[in-house]
């Protein structure tokens, strides 16, 4: 029977992990990607809160079967309710946010209750083996979620994962009841309609030409009225005829046009009137790298400008497949035109391994506004706009090559160019270039500014050439000296952070301090307002913590464990999240894709933690204390080693980098798996539900707090806070259980 209980625990944990990550894909479409990390905190809330319930009221013999069956049914039911309810509530409203929280939290509460019950039933050191089953089940979920997202539409995966807790119910209770519930879940998956998302965060046409859910984003393609050619920043001299275009979007927000190509790219004269193309006209390129190729517009611009060798890098392979498959005739198969090489991956990772030098590297308004399969664990676009990124771009260009980066210069995103100027100044200084303004030219049109950065100064003849291009196209060449001077005091007085973003703090778009200082208003873009949202969610999650964990205990007096014992479980709950979440984010750059980082990092940490938990169930007290003493030191060493590891091996093959990631993270995960079962075994048995609740409450808050800390302090310092909390837990253990 114990073997069946372990298998049931693994099934439930696998379901929770898959759901927790897959639901972020839906939240990113229904709301914005800033809400993606909410799923992690809600999952931690659902896993911990039942500990409070079972402290107040003991479960009955049938409680486990009930929560498993209802939890399995609640996963598809809540998805259907979320989709149907979103059609009747206003978008981006409090009602919609509450609907999302309710629909995500409800099924997780039942699954969390099942996990808590199975842990409570484990006696003595058997809890270590049960917790190991919990972690190893989550490991399987982490390993499978991205491959599943590639072949199963996300809504169907979110609903279908309800079959796993029903398998658990069949293992530990009555198979007939679980089988009937399983038939209902399968019926929901097979019936057309209930799992079709009809409402997104932005208006979409009713008749989409193409829709595909992927681990990176939900890709949609639809037609737009025949109109003047689209441009991010069209010059005032442009007077063009209407052309045929389609529109491709990721997660109903980040969109680019697909231009009909029937002849040669040289015939598309409108492309050269967009300010994003200014650099091509200043220095004619031969070899080009386009990062964020999207609908292929920048690739066509490169070819129209005379480039003969173009590397088109796109993070979402579904975009390349769509333009090369069903829309091949319309797009002219832009990703496979003569001289074009399609690359599916993260831009910096590709550039690090690419050979030779480029005449032109283009990064035009690449920000997806989409939560990848990494969900709360990674915001993929941020690594493109750091000091280290720009240094890489400069090193990958020829001496006279140009790095072209286009961002908003007016409207809601008006501060992006100002911050980009600070990134460019810092990167050029790090490359030994002290006269930074002489190496940067700034062209603008409409609300878009394009930085043209080169290792060779922009001499007077070249500036005159830019002026001629500006006059011909209707652009404006702006002075760069004052912008590059580094005087950001005026912005700081308004509460905006204009410091250069780095790989340790890669949040280029988040210019508002988490600690406050900037007023919420129209001058802040969606990305900047996300930090204001983060502050609100910190309050919301704190309120939910109080409501689900502490109010029930206050209403019914219960015997509580000593403060030190509760603090122990709070410390290890927060510390685990402060190591796990920043690690997943940091390894995006190393592994080349957010989806890969999610799969590999979580699999390594959870696998190691599962093994560590199992060992803790058999180890002596002295061995457990030794493990816990080593843990904070190991976390500090992880911080020290990761940077050197990336620098030395980023150019290695993917298989080698995965192996090195495992060698680095599995031992850390192994040590992180020891504290919880060790504490459960060492402290009084009667308080186990309370301990589980304290650990869950801390993890809930840490899910949001970890993002806030990394944005404010950086990954290294946030992880060091985790190391300090593990050290504090070790001290609490020594005090409570002397050697």
């Amino acid at each position: 029977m114990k073997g069946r209980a372990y298998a049931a625990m693994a099934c439930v944990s696998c379901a929770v992990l898959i759901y927790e990550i897959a639901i972020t894909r839906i939240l990113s479409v229904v709301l914005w990607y800033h809400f993606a990390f909410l799923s992690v905190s809600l999952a931690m809330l659902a896993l911990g809160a039942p500990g409070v319930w079972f402290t107040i009221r003991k479960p009955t013999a049938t409680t486990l079967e009930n929560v498993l069956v209802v939890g399995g049914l609640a996963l598809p039911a809540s998805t259907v309710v979320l989709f149907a309810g979103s059609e009747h509530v206003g978008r981006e409203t409090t009602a919609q946010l509450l609907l999302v929280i309710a629909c995500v939290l409800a099924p997780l509460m039942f699954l969390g209750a099942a996990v808590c019950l199975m842990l409570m039933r484990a006696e003595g050191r058997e809890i270590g083996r049960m917790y190991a089953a919990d972690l190893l089940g989550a490991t399987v979920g982490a390993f499978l979620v991205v491959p599943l997202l590639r072949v199963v539409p996300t809504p169907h995966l979110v609903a279908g994962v309800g079959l796993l807790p029903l398998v658990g119910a069949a293992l530990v209770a009555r198979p007939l009841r679980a089988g009937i519930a399983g038939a209902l879940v399968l019926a929901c998956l097979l019936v057309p309609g209930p799992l079709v998302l009809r409402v997104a965060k932005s208006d979409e046409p009713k008749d989409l030409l193409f829709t595909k859910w992927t681990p990176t984003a939900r890709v949609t393609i639809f037609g737009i009225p025949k109109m003047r050619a689209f441009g991010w920043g069209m010059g005032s001299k442009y007077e063009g005829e209407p052309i045929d275009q389609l529109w491709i979007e990721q997660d109903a927000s980040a969109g680019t046009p697909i231009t009909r190509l029937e002849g040669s790219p040289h015939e598309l004269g409108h492309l050269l009137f967009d300010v994003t193309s200014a650099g091509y006209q200043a220095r004619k390129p031969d070899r080009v790298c386009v990062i964020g190729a999207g609908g292929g517009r920048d690739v066509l611009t490169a070819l129209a400008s005379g480039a003969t060798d173009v590397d088109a890098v796109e993070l979402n392979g579904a975009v390349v497949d769509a333009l090369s498959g069903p829309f091949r005739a319309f797009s002219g198969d832009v990703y496979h035109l003569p001289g074009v090489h399609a690359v599916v991956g993260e831009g910096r990772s590709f550039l690090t391994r690419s050979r030779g030098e480029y005449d032109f590297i283009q990064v035009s308004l690449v920000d997806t506004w989409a939560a990848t399969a990494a969900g709360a664990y990674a915001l993929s676009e941020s690594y493109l706009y750091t000091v280290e990124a720009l240094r890489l771009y400069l090193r990958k260009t020829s001496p006279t090559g140009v790095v072209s980066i286009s961002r908003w210069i007016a409207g809601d995103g008006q501060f992006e160019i100002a911050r980009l100027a600070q990134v460019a100044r810092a990167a050029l200084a790090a490359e030994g270039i002290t006269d930074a303004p002489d190496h940067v030219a700034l062209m603008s049109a409409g609300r878009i500014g394009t930085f043209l950065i080169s290792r060779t100064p922009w001499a007077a003849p070249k500036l005159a050439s830019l002026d001629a291009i500006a006059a011909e196209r209707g652009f404006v060449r702006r002075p760069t000296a004052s912008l590059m001077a580094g005087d950001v005091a005026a912005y700081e007085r308004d509460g905006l952070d204009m410091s250069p973003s780095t790989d340790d703090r890669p949040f280029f778009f988040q210019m508002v301090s988490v600690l406050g200082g900037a007023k919420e208003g129209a001058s802040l873009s969606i990305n900047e307002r996300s930090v204001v949202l983060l502050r609100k969610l910190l309050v919301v999650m704190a309120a939910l913590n109080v409501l689900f964990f502490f109010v029930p205990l206050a209403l019914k007096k219960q015997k509580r464990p000593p403060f030190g014992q509760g603090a122990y479980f709070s410390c290890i709950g927060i510390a685990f999240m402060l190591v796990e979440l920043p690690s997943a984010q940091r390894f995006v750059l190393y592994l080349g894709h957010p989806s890969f980082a999610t799969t590999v990092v979580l699999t390594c940490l959870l696998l190691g933690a599962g093994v560590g938990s199992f060992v803790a169930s058999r180890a002596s007290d002295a061995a457990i204390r030794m493990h816990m003493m080593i843990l904070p030191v190991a976390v500090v060493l992880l911080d020290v080693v990761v940077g050197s590891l990336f620098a030395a091996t980023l150019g290695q093959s993917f298989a080698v980098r995965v192996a090195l990631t495992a060698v680095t993270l599995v031992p850390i995960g192994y040590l992180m798996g020891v504290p919880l079962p060790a504490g459960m075994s060492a402290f009084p048995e009667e308080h186990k539900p309370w301990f589980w609740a304290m650990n869950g409450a801390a993890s809930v808050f840490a899910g949001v707090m970890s993002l806030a800390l990394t944005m404010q302090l950086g990954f290294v310092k946030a992880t060091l806070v985790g190391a300090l909390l593990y050290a504090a837990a070790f001290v609490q253990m020594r005090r409570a259980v002397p050697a």
Side-chain angles (χ1 to χ4, degrees), residues 390-426:
L390 191 48
R391 292 185 68 185
L392 173 64
Y393 303 156
L394 290 169
R395 291 175 181 178
K396 284 296 181 177
T397 56
S398 62
T400 59
V402 174
V403 177
S404 174
I405 304 178
S406 300
R407 295 303 317 168
W408 302 99
I409 199 172
D412 287 352
Q414 60 184 295
F415 303 117
E416 292 182 1
I417 281 291
R419 191 169 203 188
L420 185 58
Q422 302 311 310
V423 174
R425 180 179 60 83

mmCIF file of all heavy atoms in Angstrom, residues 390-426:
data_model
loop_
_atom_site.group_PDB
_atom_site.id
_atom_site.type_symbol
_atom_site.label_atom_id
_atom_site.label_comp_id
_atom_site.label_asym_id
_atom_site.label_seq_id
_atom_site.Cartn_x
_atom_site.Cartn_y
_atom_site.Cartn_z
ATOM 1 N N LEU A 390 25.084 44.367 -25.352
ATOM 2 C CA LEU A 390 25.593 45.346 -26.308
ATOM 3 C C LEU A 390 27.089 45.154 -26.559
ATOM 4 O O LEU A 390 27.570 45.334 -27.686
ATOM 5 C CB LEU A 390 25.308 46.762 -25.806
ATOM 6 C CG LEU A 390 25.538 47.899 -26.806
ATOM 7 C CD1 LEU A 390 24.896 47.592 -28.153
ATOM 8 C CD2 LEU A 390 24.998 49.205 -26.252
ATOM 9 N N ARG A 391 27.823 44.759 -25.534
ATOM 10 C CA ARG A 391 29.251 44.465 -25.741
ATOM 11 C C ARG A 391 29.408 43.291 -26.711
ATOM 12 O O ARG A 391 30.295 43.300 -27.575
ATOM 13 C CB ARG A 391 29.924 44.147 -24.408
ATOM 14 C CG ARG A 391 30.019 45.330 -23.460
ATOM 15 C CD ARG A 391 30.796 44.956 -22.210
ATOM 16 N NE ARG A 391 32.203 44.709 -22.511
ATOM 17 C CZ ARG A 391 33.096 44.275 -21.623
ATOM 18 N NH1 ARG A 391 32.712 44.024 -20.373
ATOM 19 N NH2 ARG A 391 34.357 44.088 -21.974
ATOM 20 N N LEU A 392 28.542 42.290 -26.569
ATOM 21 C CA LEU A 392 28.590 41.155 -27.492
ATOM 22 C C LEU A 392 28.272 41.606 -28.905
ATOM 23 O O LEU A 392 28.961 41.210 -29.865
ATOM 24 C CB LEU A 392 27.592 40.089 -27.042
ATOM 25 C CG LEU A 392 27.397 38.905 -27.995
ATOM 26 C CD1 LEU A 392 28.681 38.095 -28.126
ATOM 27 C CD2 LEU A 392 26.253 38.007 -27.515
ATOM 28 N N TYR A 393 27.236 42.428 -29.072
ATOM 29 C CA TYR A 393 26.888 42.919 -30.404
ATOM 30 C C TYR A 393 28.070 43.650 -31.036
ATOM 31 O O TYR A 393 28.377 43.454 -32.222
ATOM 32 C CB TYR A 393 25.694 43.865 -30.338
ATOM 33 C CG TYR A 393 24.440 43.311 -29.709
ATOM 34 C CD1 TYR A 393 23.490 44.159 -29.143
ATOM 35 C CD2 TYR A 393 24.183 41.939 -29.659
ATOM 36 C CE1 TYR A 393 22.333 43.660 -28.553
ATOM 37 C CE2 TYR A 393 23.040 41.437 -29.076
ATOM 38 C CZ TYR A 393 22.119 42.303 -28.513
ATOM 39 O OH TYR A 393 20.985 41.821 -27.928
ATOM 40 N N LEU A 394 28.729 44.507 -30.257
ATOM 41 C CA LEU A 394 29.861 45.273 -30.787
ATOM 42 C C LEU A 394 30.999 44.350 -31.197
ATOM 43 O O LEU A 394 31.652 44.561 -32.227
ATOM 44 C CB LEU A 394 30.344 46.283 -29.748
ATOM 45 C CG LEU A 394 29.393 47.462 -29.483
ATOM 46 C CD1 LEU A 394 29.838 48.241 -28.251
ATOM 47 C CD2 LEU A 394 29.337 48.389 -30.697
ATOM 48 N N ARG A 395 31.263 43.323 -30.393
ATOM 49 C CA ARG A 395 32.357 42.405 -30.707
ATOM 50 C C ARG A 395 32.047 41.540 -31.921
ATOM 51 O O ARG A 395 32.967 41.041 -32.574
ATOM 52 C CB ARG A 395 32.638 41.507 -29.499
ATOM 53 C CG ARG A 395 33.235 42.251 -28.312
ATOM 54 C CD ARG A 395 33.389 41.338 -27.106
ATOM 55 N NE ARG A 395 33.937 42.054 -25.960
ATOM 56 C CZ ARG A 395 34.136 41.501 -24.766
ATOM 57 N NH1 ARG A 395 33.810 40.223 -24.572
ATOM 58 N NH2 ARG A 395 34.634 42.211 -23.781
ATOM 59 N N LYS A 396 30.751 41.351 -32.207
ATOM 60 C CA LYS A 396 30.362 40.526 -33.339
ATOM 61 C C LYS A 396 30.207 41.316 -34.633
ATOM 62 O O LYS A 396 29.855 40.747 -35.672
ATOM 63 C CB LYS A 396 29.039 39.807 -33.023
ATOM 64 C CG LYS A 396 29.208 38.624 -32.075
ATOM 65 C CD LYS A 396 30.054 37.518 -32.700
ATOM 66 C CE LYS A 396 30.215 36.334 -31.792
ATOM 67 N NZ LYS A 396 30.984 35.246 -32.439
ATOM 68 N N THR A 397 30.439 42.618 -34.592
ATOM 69 C CA THR A 397 30.405 43.420 -35.814
ATOM 70 C C THR A 397 31.823 43.687 -36.300
ATOM 71 O O THR A 397 32.781 43.667 -35.518
ATOM 72 C CB THR A 397 29.697 44.763 -35.592
ATOM 73 O OG1 THR A 397 30.334 45.469 -34.516
ATOM 74 C CG2 THR A 397 28.231 44.560 -35.267
ATOM 75 N N SER A 398 31.943 43.936 -37.581
ATOM 76 C CA SER A 398 33.232 44.316 -38.154
ATOM 77 C C SER A 398 33.606 45.704 -37.645
ATOM 78 O O SER A 398 32.776 46.414 -37.071
ATOM 79 C CB SER A 398 33.129 44.325 -39.679
ATOM 80 O OG SER A 398 32.168 45.288 -40.101
ATOM 81 N N PRO A 399 34.870 46.127 -37.815
ATOM 82 C CA PRO A 399 35.277 47.455 -37.308
ATOM 83 C C PRO A 399 34.380 48.593 -37.776
ATOM 84 O O PRO A 399 34.172 49.567 -37.053
ATOM 85 C CB PRO A 399 36.702 47.597 -37.843
ATOM 86 C CG PRO A 399 37.200 46.189 -37.953
ATOM 87 C CD PRO A 399 36.010 45.377 -38.370
ATOM 88 N N THR A 400 33.842 48.487 -38.989
ATOM 89 C CA THR A 400 32.956 49.541 -39.496
ATOM 90 C C THR A 400 31.484 49.119 -39.446
ATOM 91 O O THR A 400 30.624 49.807 -39.995
ATOM 92 C CB THR A 400 33.326 49.905 -40.947
ATOM 93 O OG1 THR A 400 33.216 48.722 -41.770
ATOM 94 C CG2 THR A 400 34.744 50.453 -41.026
ATOM 95 N N GLY A 401 31.211 47.992 -38.793
ATOM 96 C CA GLY A 401 29.845 47.492 -38.722
ATOM 97 C C GLY A 401 28.971 48.340 -37.811
ATOM 98 O O GLY A 401 29.454 49.173 -37.031
ATOM 99 N N VAL A 402 27.680 48.115 -37.881
ATOM 100 C CA VAL A 402 26.703 48.914 -37.146
ATOM 101 C C VAL A 402 25.782 47.999 -36.344
ATOM 102 O O VAL A 402 25.327 46.966 -36.845
ATOM 103 C CB VAL A 402 25.865 49.781 -38.108
ATOM 104 C CG1 VAL A 402 24.753 50.504 -37.351
ATOM 105 C CG2 VAL A 402 26.746 50.784 -38.834
ATOM 106 N N VAL A 403 25.529 48.401 -35.106
ATOM 107 C CA VAL A 403 24.498 47.770 -34.283
ATOM 108 C C VAL A 403 23.306 48.720 -34.260
ATOM 109 O O VAL A 403 23.429 49.869 -33.819
ATOM 110 C CB VAL A 403 24.992 47.503 -32.845
ATOM 111 C CG1 VAL A 403 23.865 46.913 -32.007
ATOM 112 C CG2 VAL A 403 26.203 46.585 -32.853
ATOM 113 N N SER A 404 22.169 48.269 -34.744
ATOM 114 C CA SER A 404 20.963 49.101 -34.829
ATOM 115 C C SER A 404 19.934 48.590 -33.828
ATOM 116 O O SER A 404 19.485 47.445 -33.917
ATOM 117 C CB SER A 404 20.386 49.055 -36.247
ATOM 118 O OG SER A 404 19.155 49.743 -36.313
ATOM 119 N N ILE A 405 19.572 49.451 -32.858
ATOM 120 C CA ILE A 405 18.567 49.098 -31.855
ATOM 121 C C ILE A 405 17.484 50.168 -31.875
ATOM 122 O O ILE A 405 17.775 51.350 -31.676
ATOM 123 C CB ILE A 405 19.179 48.993 -30.445
ATOM 124 C CG1 ILE A 405 20.336 47.982 -30.433
ATOM 125 C CG2 ILE A 405 18.112 48.595 -29.434
ATOM 126 C CD1 ILE A 405 21.014 47.850 -29.093
ATOM 127 N N SER A 406 16.265 49.750 -32.122
ATOM 128 C CA SER A 406 15.136 50.679 -32.199
ATOM 129 C C SER A 406 14.234 50.493 -30.990
ATOM 130 O O SER A 406 13.871 49.366 -30.639
ATOM 131 C CB SER A 406 14.323 50.458 -33.481
ATOM 132 O OG SER A 406 15.126 50.658 -34.631
ATOM 133 N N ARG A 407 13.884 51.614 -30.351
ATOM 134 C CA ARG A 407 12.976 51.596 -29.201
ATOM 135 C C ARG A 407 12.101 52.846 -29.279
ATOM 136 O O ARG A 407 12.329 53.734 -30.089
ATOM 137 C CB ARG A 407 13.732 51.593 -27.869
ATOM 138 C CG ARG A 407 14.575 50.375 -27.555
ATOM 139 C CD ARG A 407 13.850 49.070 -27.548
ATOM 140 N NE ARG A 407 12.562 49.080 -26.891
ATOM 141 C CZ ARG A 407 11.698 48.084 -26.990
ATOM 142 N NH1 ARG A 407 11.975 47.014 -27.730
ATOM 143 N NH2 ARG A 407 10.534 48.149 -26.365
ATOM 144 N N TRP A 408 11.110 52.890 -28.373
ATOM 145 C CA TRP A 408 10.196 54.028 -28.342
ATOM 146 C C TRP A 408 10.917 55.262 -27.810
ATOM 147 O O TRP A 408 11.683 55.194 -26.856
ATOM 148 C CB TRP A 408 8.995 53.709 -27.451
ATOM 149 C CG TRP A 408 8.243 52.492 -27.894
ATOM 150 C CD1 TRP A 408 8.346 51.232 -27.397
ATOM 151 C CD2 TRP A 408 7.287 52.424 -28.957
ATOM 152 N NE1 TRP A 408 7.512 50.380 -28.075
ATOM 153 C CE2 TRP A 408 6.846 51.080 -29.035
ATOM 154 C CE3 TRP A 408 6.755 53.356 -29.846
ATOM 155 C CZ2 TRP A 408 5.912 50.650 -29.969
ATOM 156 C CZ3 TRP A 408 5.803 52.934 -30.769
ATOM 157 C CH2 TRP A 408 5.400 51.601 -30.823
ATOM 158 N N ILE A 409 10.632 56.403 -28.430
ATOM 159 C CA ILE A 409 11.232 57.664 -27.993
ATOM 160 C C ILE A 409 10.172 58.684 -27.586
ATOM 161 O O ILE A 409 10.473 59.753 -27.062
ATOM 162 C CB ILE A 409 12.119 58.253 -29.119
ATOM 163 C CG1 ILE A 409 13.109 59.276 -28.566
ATOM 164 C CG2 ILE A 409 11.265 58.844 -30.245
ATOM 165 C CD1 ILE A 409 14.133 59.739 -29.575
ATOM 166 N N ALA A 410 8.901 58.346 -27.824
ATOM 167 C CA ALA A 410 7.793 59.231 -27.458
ATOM 168 C C ALA A 410 6.622 58.374 -27.025
ATOM 169 O O ALA A 410 6.596 57.156 -27.219
ATOM 170 C CB ALA A 410 7.397 60.125 -28.643
ATOM 171 N N GLY A 411 5.631 59.015 -26.413
ATOM 172 C CA GLY A 411 4.470 58.286 -25.935
ATOM 173 C C GLY A 411 4.755 57.553 -24.638
ATOM 174 O O GLY A 411 5.649 57.929 -23.871
ATOM 175 N N ASP A 412 4.023 56.467 -24.380
ATOM 176 C CA ASP A 412 4.164 55.740 -23.129
ATOM 177 C C ASP A 412 5.565 55.192 -22.915
ATOM 178 O O ASP A 412 6.020 55.060 -21.788
ATOM 179 C CB ASP A 412 3.150 54.586 -23.069
ATOM 180 C CG ASP A 412 1.733 55.086 -22.846
ATOM 181 O OD1 ASP A 412 1.581 56.292 -22.587
ATOM 182 O OD2 ASP A 412 0.795 54.278 -22.945
ATOM 183 N N GLY A 413 6.240 54.826 -24.003
ATOM 184 C CA GLY A 413 7.574 54.235 -23.866
ATOM 185 C C GLY A 413 8.697 55.225 -24.028
ATOM 186 O O GLY A 413 9.818 54.846 -24.374
ATOM 187 N N GLN A 414 8.434 56.502 -23.756
ATOM 188 C CA GLN A 414 9.409 57.554 -24.048
ATOM 189 C C GLN A 414 10.727 57.409 -23.296
ATOM 190 O O GLN A 414 11.751 57.946 -23.716
ATOM 191 C CB GLN A 414 8.792 58.905 -23.694
ATOM 192 C CG GLN A 414 8.395 59.020 -22.222
ATOM 193 C CD GLN A 414 7.705 60.323 -21.903
ATOM 194 O OE1 GLN A 414 8.310 61.379 -22.011
ATOM 195 N NE2 GLN A 414 6.431 60.257 -21.545
ATOM 196 N N PHE A 415 10.732 56.680 -22.169
ATOM 197 C CA PHE A 415 11.948 56.581 -21.362
ATOM 198 C C PHE A 415 12.899 55.495 -21.858
ATOM 199 O O PHE A 415 14.020 55.388 -21.370
ATOM 200 C CB PHE A 415 11.587 56.302 -19.902
ATOM 201 C CG PHE A 415 10.670 57.332 -19.308
ATOM 202 C CD1 PHE A 415 9.404 56.973 -18.867
ATOM 203 C CD2 PHE A 415 11.056 58.658 -19.206
ATOM 204 C CE1 PHE A 415 8.551 57.912 -18.322
ATOM 205 C CE2 PHE A 415 10.201 59.607 -18.666
ATOM 206 C CZ PHE A 415 8.944 59.237 -18.219
ATOM 207 N N GLU A 416 12.464 54.674 -22.806
ATOM 208 C CA GLU A 416 13.301 53.555 -23.237
ATOM 209 C C GLU A 416 14.579 54.021 -23.924
ATOM 210 O O GLU A 416 15.650 53.453 -23.686
ATOM 211 C CB GLU A 416 12.502 52.632 -24.163
ATOM 212 C CG GLU A 416 11.377 51.906 -23.445
ATOM 213 C CD GLU A 416 10.614 50.951 -24.333
ATOM 214 O OE1 GLU A 416 10.972 50.825 -25.523
ATOM 215 O OE2 GLU A 416 9.665 50.327 -23.846
ATOM 216 N N ILE A 417 14.488 55.028 -24.763
ATOM 217 C CA ILE A 417 15.685 55.513 -25.443
ATOM 218 C C ILE A 417 16.666 56.100 -24.437
ATOM 219 O O ILE A 417 17.886 55.919 -24.548
ATOM 220 C CB ILE A 417 15.311 56.564 -26.518
ATOM 221 C CG1 ILE A 417 14.784 55.853 -27.768
ATOM 222 C CG2 ILE A 417 16.509 57.421 -26.881
ATOM 223 C CD1 ILE A 417 15.815 55.068 -28.550
ATOM 224 N N ALA A 418 16.152 56.800 -23.422
ATOM 225 C CA ALA A 418 17.027 57.382 -22.408
ATOM 226 C C ALA A 418 17.790 56.293 -21.656
ATOM 227 O O ALA A 418 18.995 56.432 -21.389
ATOM 228 C CB ALA A 418 16.211 58.233 -21.433
ATOM 229 N N ARG A 419 17.098 55.205 -21.319
ATOM 230 C CA ARG A 419 17.807 54.128 -20.617
ATOM 231 C C ARG A 419 18.758 53.399 -21.558
ATOM 232 O O ARG A 419 19.856 52.999 -21.165
ATOM 233 C CB ARG A 419 16.817 53.133 -20.011
ATOM 234 C CG ARG A 419 17.519 52.176 -19.063
ATOM 235 C CD ARG A 419 16.602 51.329 -18.232
ATOM 236 N NE ARG A 419 17.275 50.874 -17.032
ATOM 237 C CZ ARG A 419 16.772 49.996 -16.183
ATOM 238 N NH1 ARG A 419 15.574 49.486 -16.398
ATOM 239 N NH2 ARG A 419 17.451 49.633 -15.115
ATOM 240 N N LEU A 420 18.353 53.221 -22.800
ATOM 241 C CA LEU A 420 19.227 52.573 -23.768
ATOM 242 C C LEU A 420 20.515 53.370 -23.953
ATOM 243 O O LEU A 420 21.591 52.796 -24.158
ATOM 244 C CB LEU A 420 18.499 52.409 -25.101
ATOM 245 C CG LEU A 420 19.247 51.646 -26.196
ATOM 246 C CD1 LEU A 420 19.608 50.240 -25.737
ATOM 247 C CD2 LEU A 420 18.394 51.581 -27.465
ATOM 248 N N ALA A 421 20.405 54.691 -23.867
ATOM 249 C CA ALA A 421 21.607 55.533 -23.970
ATOM 250 C C ALA A 421 22.588 55.215 -22.848
ATOM 251 O O ALA A 421 23.811 55.178 -23.059
ATOM 252 C CB ALA A 421 21.212 57.006 -23.936
ATOM 253 N N GLN A 422 22.075 54.981 -21.635
ATOM 254 C CA GLN A 422 22.955 54.645 -20.517
ATOM 255 C C GLN A 422 23.574 53.261 -20.699
ATOM 256 O O GLN A 422 24.743 53.040 -20.341
ATOM 257 C CB GLN A 422 22.174 54.710 -19.205
ATOM 258 C CG GLN A 422 21.529 56.061 -18.927
ATOM 259 C CD GLN A 422 22.508 57.211 -19.120
ATOM 260 O OE1 GLN A 422 23.614 57.193 -18.593
ATOM 261 N NE2 GLN A 422 22.083 58.199 -19.879
ATOM 262 N N VAL A 423 22.809 52.327 -21.254
ATOM 263 C CA VAL A 423 23.359 51.001 -21.536
ATOM 264 C C VAL A 423 24.477 51.112 -22.569
ATOM 265 O O VAL A 423 25.552 50.503 -22.416
ATOM 266 C CB VAL A 423 22.251 50.056 -22.043
ATOM 267 C CG1 VAL A 423 22.840 48.712 -22.475
ATOM 268 C CG2 VAL A 423 21.192 49.846 -20.969
ATOM 269 N N ALA A 424 24.245 51.900 -23.621
ATOM 270 C CA ALA A 424 25.257 52.068 -24.667
ATOM 271 C C ALA A 424 26.514 52.735 -24.120
ATOM 272 O O ALA A 424 27.641 52.333 -24.442
ATOM 273 C CB ALA A 424 24.676 52.893 -25.820
ATOM 274 N N ARG A 425 26.334 53.751 -23.288
ATOM 275 C CA ARG A 425 27.487 54.438 -22.708
ATOM 276 C C ARG A 425 28.333 53.487 -21.870
ATOM 277 O O ARG A 425 29.562 53.450 -21.979
ATOM 278 C CB ARG A 425 27.014 55.615 -21.853
ATOM 279 C CG ARG A 425 28.138 56.415 -21.195
ATOM 280 C CD ARG A 425 27.574 57.578 -20.394
ATOM 281 N NE ARG A 425 26.673 57.127 -19.341
ATOM 282 C CZ ARG A 425 27.087 56.703 -18.137
ATOM 283 N NH1 ARG A 425 28.370 56.668 -17.851
ATOM 284 N NH2 ARG A 425 26.207 56.322 -17.232
ATOM 285 N N ALA A 426 27.662 52.684 -21.044
ATOM 286 C CA ALA A 426 28.392 51.751 -20.187
ATOM 287 C C ALA A 426 29.076 50.659 -21.007
ATOM 288 O O ALA A 426 30.207 50.258 -20.707
ATOM 289 C CB ALA A 426 27.431 51.130 -19.176
#
